[in-house]
Amino acid sequence: LSHDGAWSQKAVSAAQHAQTLNDELPEVHFALGNVYGATGKSAEAIVELKRALALAPNSDEGFRHLGDVYLASGDTAEALQAYQQAIDANQYYWLNFNKLGSVYFQIGQNQKAMDAFRRVTELAPDSELGFENLGLVNFQAGKWNDAIIQFQKALKLEPSENLYMNMGVTYFFLGHRTDAVAMFQKAVDLNPNDQVAVGNLADGYRWLPDKAKAAQEYQQAIALALKNLRVNPQDATTLGCLAVDYAKNGDTKKGLEFIRRARGIDTKDNELMYKEAVVDAVAGQHAEALSALRLALQSGYSLQQAK
């Protein structure tokens, strides 16, 4: 879906019109559910997707979309169940395992995530995603060199902005900061409108340090995030990134405001817990930062990354 609000509304209207023509077609309810989910209307999306799955109970795609909506709304337990149902419906499609592994990774259950991602590489050895995600699990465990090996396997199959970003962060933890900035720049070159890629590049310049370039990139990342939030103001991930970018660029008041909003939407994401610790620390709220860090570690955030 386009990130233009007008086009999103047209998509909703088209799907609703299809419903008036035939309310018994699962495709109609899948379409409505997907449009509602993309525009942040999680409750409406869940109703429509469940209706669609009642009409088409063997649709692994339907269960994946349902899992996506639950995940976006912060309900990881229901998301895990939906993704497992997708696997039960089709245990030979790699994407079902990739979705399941991604949630386990998000909540810090690394061994379950590793098992799911290994299955991805077995079912789809020509896809970079399984290897990239194995690299991410190794990264979270602080196994930087093992992570680089998996990322390099993935890059040989299909270079992407995410891979370049992941390589950049790993190089940073290995102490290769110039190489890190080069990887972040490649990510931005592939997608200059990705707020995360631009924010990482800003971080890279901040580490060098190059304050002027860092400020320029942070301002661009903030503008991109605000644009995304006009479509889905309940996007906790975007709110968290926006909070960190504001704080690191010197506006700690807005940083604190946006991280509180993000955490209010999704209380279980340990990445957001860690971002809260970062924003609190930059704002000089040390007691709050330690509290958020403690919660992140207790929720499965990597101790090695925190160090």
Side-chain angles (χ1 to χ4, degrees):
L1 284 175
S2 168
H3 277 215
D4 186 307
W7 285 108
S8 298
Q9 185 54 50
K10 288 181 180 180
V12 172
S13 298
Q16 289 173 337
H17 179 63
Q19 185 179 17
T20 65
L21 299 176
N22 190 341
D23 190 48
E24 296 301 316
L25 280 178
E27 292 82 3
V28 168
H29 296 283
F30 280 134
L32 271 171
N34 293 338
V35 172
Y36 284 138
T39 53
K41 298 179 179 179
S42 298
E44 294 91 334
I46 290 168
V47 169
E48 292 299 332
L49 290 170
K50 284 186 173 181
R51 170 66 174 150
L53 286 165
L55 296 168
N58 294 320
S59 172
D60 61 316
E61 182 180 8
F63 284 115
R64 287 198 308 275
H65 288 311
L66 182 60
D68 291 344
V69 174
Y70 276 128
L71 191 63
S73 66
D75 195 335
T76 54
E78 290 290 349
L80 283 170
Q81 181 177 337
Y83 292 141
Q84 184 59 59
Q85 287 175 300
I87 291 173
D88 294 341
N90 185 352
Q91 59 181 308
Y92 299 106
Y93 188 30
W94 63 268
L95 186 55
N96 296 331
F97 287 93
N98 197 68
K99 290 283 189 178
L100 184 67
S102 296
V103 181
Y104 279 132
F105 176 72
Q106 179 179 304
I107 62 177
Q109 296 191 27
N110 287 347
Q111 187 55 57
K112 289 183 178 180
M114 186 78 76
D115 292 341
F117 293 143
R118 284 202 184 101
R119 186 63 177 142
V120 173
T121 64
E122 293 167 359
L123 291 171
D126 295 330
S127 171
E128 79 282 1
L129 282 177
F131 298 104
E132 179 179 7
N133 286 331
L134 283 175
L136 288 171
V137 178
N138 282 311
F139 175 88
Q140 191 175 72
K143 300 177 180 178
W144 318 127
N145 289 313
D146 291 341
I148 287 288
I149 290 171
Q150 296 296 335
F151 291 149
Q152 288 175 336
K153 288 180 181 179
L155 277 171
K156 288 180 180 179
L157 291 169
E158 185 67 39
S160 70
E161 61 173 305
N162 282 337
L163 275 169
Y164 284 126
M165 284 194 288
N166 292 331
M167 287 283 285
V169 176
T170 309
Y171 276 133
F172 167 73
F173 280 112
L174 286 169
H176 305 159
R177 298 189 178 184
T178 301
D179 291 333
V181 170
M183 292 294 103
F184 293 146
Q185 185 62 63
K186 286 187 176 183
V188 172
D189 290 343
L190 286 177
N191 188 356
N193 293 319
D194 186 332
Q195 66 174 82
V196 177
V198 176
N200 281 342
L201 181 58
D203 282 343
Y205 283 126
R206 183 171 180 260
W207 295 331
L208 280 180
D210 188 329
K211 293 183 179 180
K213 287 186 177 179
Q216 178 182 342
E217 298 300 334
Y218 280 131
Q219 289 168 4
Q220 176 65 7
I222 288 167
L224 292 169
L226 291 173
K227 181 179 179 181
N228 291 341
L229 287 173
R230 285 197 291 271
V231 174
N232 183 2
Q234 299 300 308
D235 186 337
T237 299
T238 297
L239 286 166
C241 292
L242 180 60
V244 172
D245 290 338
Y246 265 128
K248 290 182 178 178
N249 201 38
D251 193 337
T252 56
K253 181 178 179 180
K254 286 186 177 179
L256 290 167
E257 172 191 342
F258 282 107
I259 196 59
R260 303 296 187 249
R261 281 178 56 185
R263 292 281 290 114
I265 293 169
D266 188 344
T267 61
K268 298 180 181 179
D269 187 341
N270 60 30
E271 184 71 33
L272 285 177
M273 296 172 192
Y274 186 76
K275 281 183 167 63
E276 185 174 30
V278 171
V279 174
D280 284 336
V282 174
Q285 298 186 0
H286 298 156
E288 291 86 347
L290 287 171
S291 179
L293 176 59
R294 182 179 298 109
L295 183 60
L297 295 174
Q298 290 172 345
S299 301
Y301 192 84
S302 170
L303 177 62
Q304 293 301 318
Q305 289 186 57
K307 286 182 179 180

